[in-house]
Amino acid sequence: MSSLHPHKRYLWGRRQSRPLKPNQKDILNKVWPNVLLELPEGLITDPLKMFSLSYTELWLEIGFGGGEHLVAQAIAHADIGFIGCEPYINGVASLACQIHDQQLHNIRIVKDDARLLVAKLPSNSVGRLFVLFPDPWPKKRHHKRRIIQEASVAEFARILKPGGQFNIATDDQDYASWIQNIMEGNSKFELILGNRIRMTDRPTDWPVTRYEQKGIVQGRVPVYLTYTLKSL
Ligand SMILES: C[S@@+](CC[C@H](N)C(=O)[O-])C[C@H]1O[C@@H](n2cnc3c(N)ncnc32)[C@H](O)[C@@H]1O
């Protein structure tokens, strides 16, 4: 991942759907200077120093969509600093509005491809990583666009702290098998919770996301996987 070429296209999802509403624009402009995390040229040496208050640990959510899960976690864990990474500008604006309404200080947003952020994070710096309902890219010729790849998982192993958690969910059964195969191929991770489980068995410290809810209404069955980074 650190070998990402600066001019190559990495993002395939949409950056924006509808134009932002005037009040969303106002709030975005208001909170932006405090929440935007611009990626530096070089490595980020101490990510927790990028928050105005002090926090015990850093948690990261990749592809937060509308940001509802990230906000719920930030409220439930006021001692944790969160980075949310999402290139979809309407999602970023929605999260900015929630940060404003809830007066949250412990979230920073990177509005870009998560792989650019991850490559800049120091090793052993993240306590918990969420990748919830990543785009499944069901067509075989698009599988290379999936965020879960051997190389990205190796990078996740690098940035996570030993004992750190990696939470992944998908409601695409082919992607679930793909994820499990790749995770099993990385000896640094151990599956501690997961499989095709009933809704009532879903992890309780991980609120339902918007995409998850939509899928359940449409009859899709989510798979929830929790891995831990082995302590050597
Ligand atoms: C299917 S949506 C799920 C959103 C949210 N996690 C949920 O469950 O409601 C996947 C999200 O991942 C984001 N995404 C896609 N590629 C990404 C990347 N390379 N880095 C960060 N986010 C990405 C998309 O913009 C989209 O918002």
Side-chain angles (χ1 to χ4, degrees):
M1 280 214 299
S2 46
S3 61
L4 285 183
H5 191 282
H7 303 301
K8 203 171 158 199
R9 184 164 184 243
Y10 296 103
L11 278 170
W12 290 278
R14 55 192 184 159
R15 280 263 185 182
Q16 182 152 13
S17 51
R18 55 202 179 275
L20 299 185
K21 293 177 196 145
N23 75 314
Q24 278 183 316
K25 271 194 197 160
D26 281 354
I27 291 174
L28 197 53
N29 288 334
K30 206 184 287 173
V31 301
W32 208 223
N34 296 325
V35 301
L36 175 68
L37 204 164
E38 293 272 21
L39 292 179
E41 281 288 314
L43 296 178
I44 301 170
T45 45
D46 187 350
L48 283 177
K49 288 239 165 77
M50 304 180 101
F51 292 82
S52 52
L53 300 176
S54 93
Y55 297 103
T56 55
E57 198 168 59
L58 177 72
W59 292 8
L60 170 63
E61 179 167 358
I62 290 178
F64 57 73
E68 298 84 359
H69 167 267
L70 188 51
V71 166
Q73 292 287 7
I75 292 171
H77 302 280
D79 58 324
I80 303 288
F82 290 82
I83 298 180
C85 193
E86 173 57 69
Y88 176 52
I89 193 67
N90 300 80
V92 168
S94 155
L95 176 58
C97 290
Q98 295 170 77
I99 290 174
H100 176 260
D101 293 348
Q102 304 279 348
Q103 301 278 298
L104 294 172
H105 299 283
N106 57 340
I107 299 181
R108 290 284 174 278
I109 303 175
V110 172
K111 62 166 182 22
D112 213 329
D113 186 329
R115 289 166 291 189
L116 300 173
L117 163 67
V118 169
K120 292 190 180 285
L121 285 173
S123 302
N124 304 338
S125 59
V126 175
R128 195 166 174 189
L129 169 65
F130 298 96
V131 181
L132 306 181
F133 301 90
D135 295 311
W137 295 110
K139 290 184 183 152
K140 197 162 184 204
R141 69 174 189 279
H142 291 152
H143 284 179
K144 58 181 178 296
R145 301 180 177 188
R146 290 174 165 174
I147 189 89
I148 303 295
Q149 304 283 349
E150 276 173 28
S152 56
V153 167
E155 274 291 85
F156 298 157
R158 181 186 69 76
I159 62 165
L160 272 168
K161 292 178 175 177
Q165 256 192 43
F166 180 17
N167 300 115
I168 321 176
T170 181
D171 57 17
D172 182 286
Q173 302 311 316
D174 177 66
Y175 199 8
S177 306
W178 165 285
I179 292 168
Q180 278 172 305
N181 283 339
I182 288 181
M183 293 302 297
E184 274 164 25
N186 189 315
S187 59
K188 295 183 176 161
F189 283 103
E190 182 180 6
L191 181 69
I192 55 167
L193 178 74
N195 225 317
R196 286 172 205 197
I197 53 178
R198 288 174 295 116
M199 233 346 249
T200 48
D201 297 333
R202 80 179 296 291
T204 49
D205 64 343
W206 164 6
V208 178
T209 75
R210 194 194 288 193
Y211 185 90
E212 173 181 359
Q213 224 151 17
K214 228 160 86 179
I216 290 166
V217 170
Q218 290 169 3
R220 294 198 295 270
V221 181
V223 175
Y224 308 97
L225 300 163
T226 297
Y227 295 87
T228 186
L229 191 75
K230 291 180 195 165
S231 308
L232 295 178

